[in-house]
Amino acid sequence: MNIFENFNKAKQKFGENLARQAIESKIPNQFVYAACKFNVENGTPFNDLYLLFSQWTTYVVSKNTNINVDVLDYNTFWKTIQDYKKQYGEEGKVYDDGTVSITHISSLEQMKKLPIKNLWCIRREKHWNEYQENGARFYLITNNNYSDESNCRYVMVEMYANGEIGYWSTDNELIDAEGSTKRLPPLAEYQKTLGDALQKIQESQRKITENKQYKTKAIT
């Protein structure tokens, strides 16, 4: 079904006004019918559906293109997303407010499972091992304030016990203070979009540092 057929199907079933609301909420065109259906039958706001369909694309479609979301009820749709997320190491999730989530990436296997197109060098065993030997700790930020096409939608945070921290876009480019890479915002601007998730990142950084200091004192 092409995108116009999907829109027309939604318009005929639920009315043009609702179909256009879905489009204006940035629901992907191929999901307009399902979005209108879930809005009418379950009362789920389009803004929430935008986030859910982003997860559907990332976790479900990337692994299985044969599921017809148009025939699912909302509960099955939601459960399917959760089931597929578990396959990608979501057990490492440490924060989720519905818009921004943070997942601790604790192994190379978990890293390789991520259904995200990226250029992070830690996908390769050699580099992963080198970073681990240097004491690096990694967290994946999923930030739904950015679109699927943005290289800031998914950011890998690299932390060290000495307080060093880096935010890496999916193009493996550092989000720096000046915004020197034209495709990336300055770090402060990016951090504003994180909301309370930024506190969780800072808390994780402090724990790494405090744990290192404790171990050092115990040895001495």
Side-chain angles (χ1 to χ4, degrees), residues 97-183:
D97 63 15
T99 301
V100 179
S101 66
I102 304 171
T103 301
H104 177 215
I105 307 300
S106 58
S107 68
L108 179 61
E109 180 183 9
Q110 185 184 4
M111 178 67 207
K112 289 181 176 180
K113 283 182 178 180
L114 296 175
I116 300 167
K117 292 182 180 179
N118 67 81
L119 297 176
W120 295 317
C121 63
I122 56 174
R123 295 179 304 166
R124 295 183 285 276
E125 185 173 2
K126 175 185 176 182
H127 294 295
W128 175 268
N129 291 337
E130 288 175 349
Y131 278 102
Q132 293 303 300
E133 289 173 4
N134 290 325
R137 194 175 178 93
F138 294 99
Y139 290 86
L140 172 68
I141 300 176
T142 301
N143 189 342
N144 290 310
N145 289 301
Y146 290 92
S147 69
D148 291 328
E149 295 75 26
S150 172
N151 55 5
C152 287
R153 174 68 178 279
Y154 303 101
V155 168
M156 189 64 68
V157 183
E158 175 188 357
M159 296 182 184
Y160 293 91
N162 64 2
E164 183 181 346
I165 184 169
Y167 293 76
W168 297 89
S169 76
T170 44
D171 289 332
N172 204 38
E173 294 179 326
L174 183 66
I175 304 176
D176 61 25
E178 292 77 24
S180 55
T181 302
K182 292 182 179 179
R183 292 179 298 172

Side-chain angles (χ1 to χ4, degrees), residues 9 18 28 43 55 58 62 72 131 136-137 149 167 188 191 202:
K9 178 182 175 182
L18 203 66
Q55 293 179 32
T58 298
S62 64
L72 303 181
Y131 278 102
R137 194 175 178 93
E149 295 75 26
Y167 293 76
Q191 288 178 323
Q202 293 169 339

Side-chain angles (χ1 to χ4, degrees), residues 6-219:
N6 194 291
F7 176 83
N8 288 332
K9 178 182 175 182
K11 182 173 70 173
Q12 292 170 9
K13 178 71 174 181
F14 304 106
E16 183 173 356
N17 182 52
L18 203 66
R20 293 201 177 279
Q21 284 184 47
I23 291 291
E24 290 169 1
S25 299
K26 300 181 180 179
I27 302 293
N29 290 314
Q30 66 267 35
F31 301 134
V32 168
Y33 177 85
C36 290
K37 176 183 176 182
F38 297 150
N39 176 268
V40 170
E41 295 180 357
N42 195 72
T44 309
F46 283 121
N47 287 341
D48 291 347
L49 288 168
Y50 166 75
L51 300 179
L52 288 170
F53 276 111
S54 293
Q55 293 179 32
W56 180 269
T57 301
T58 298
Y59 295 103
V60 181
V61 176
S62 64
K63 197 171 183 67
N64 188 342
T65 60
N66 296 320
I67 302 177
N68 182 3
V69 70
D70 287 354
V71 303
L72 303 181
D73 59 44
Y74 177 80
N75 289 333
T76 303
F77 167 67
W78 187 88
K79 186 178 184 302
T80 302
I81 293 174
Q82 309 315 311
D83 289 343
Y84 273 80
K85 285 171 71 175
K86 288 178 182 178
Q87 298 180 38
Y88 292 114
E90 285 293 293
E91 69 276 1
K93 183 174 288 186
V94 298
Y95 178 89
D96 191 347
D97 63 15
T99 301
V100 179
S101 66
I102 304 171
T103 301
H104 177 215
I105 307 300
S106 58
S107 68
L108 179 61
E109 180 183 9
Q110 185 184 4
M111 178 67 207
K112 289 181 176 180
K113 283 182 178 180
L114 296 175
I116 300 167
K117 292 182 180 179
N118 67 81
L119 297 176
W120 295 317
C121 63
I122 56 174
R123 295 179 304 166
R124 295 183 285 276
E125 185 173 2
K126 175 185 176 182
H127 294 295
W128 175 268
N129 291 337
E130 288 175 349
Y131 278 102
Q132 293 303 300
E133 289 173 4
N134 290 325
R137 194 175 178 93
F138 294 99
Y139 290 86
L140 172 68
I141 300 176
T142 301
N143 189 342
N144 290 310
N145 289 301
Y146 290 92
S147 69
D148 291 328
E149 295 75 26
S150 172
N151 55 5
C152 287
R153 174 68 178 279
Y154 303 101
V155 168
M156 189 64 68
V157 183
E158 175 188 357
M159 296 182 184
Y160 293 91
N162 64 2
E164 183 181 346
I165 184 169
Y167 293 76
W168 297 89
S169 76
T170 44
D171 289 332
N172 204 38
E173 294 179 326
L174 183 66
I175 304 176
D176 61 25
E178 292 77 24
S180 55
T181 302
K182 292 182 179 179
R183 292 179 298 172
L184 300 175
L187 180 58
E189 181 180 322
Y190 169 76
Q191 288 178 323
K192 285 181 181 178
T193 70
L194 298 177
D196 292 339
L198 180 59
Q199 296 179 7
K200 184 63 180 181
I201 294 169
Q202 293 169 339
E203 175 189 323
S204 298
Q205 176 69 74
R206 284 195 301 271
K207 286 182 177 179
I208 294 172
T209 301
E210 290 170 358
N211 186 52
K212 177 68 174 180
Q213 292 173 342
Y214 173 79
K215 288 182 177 179
T216 301
K217 288 180 180 179
I219 292 173

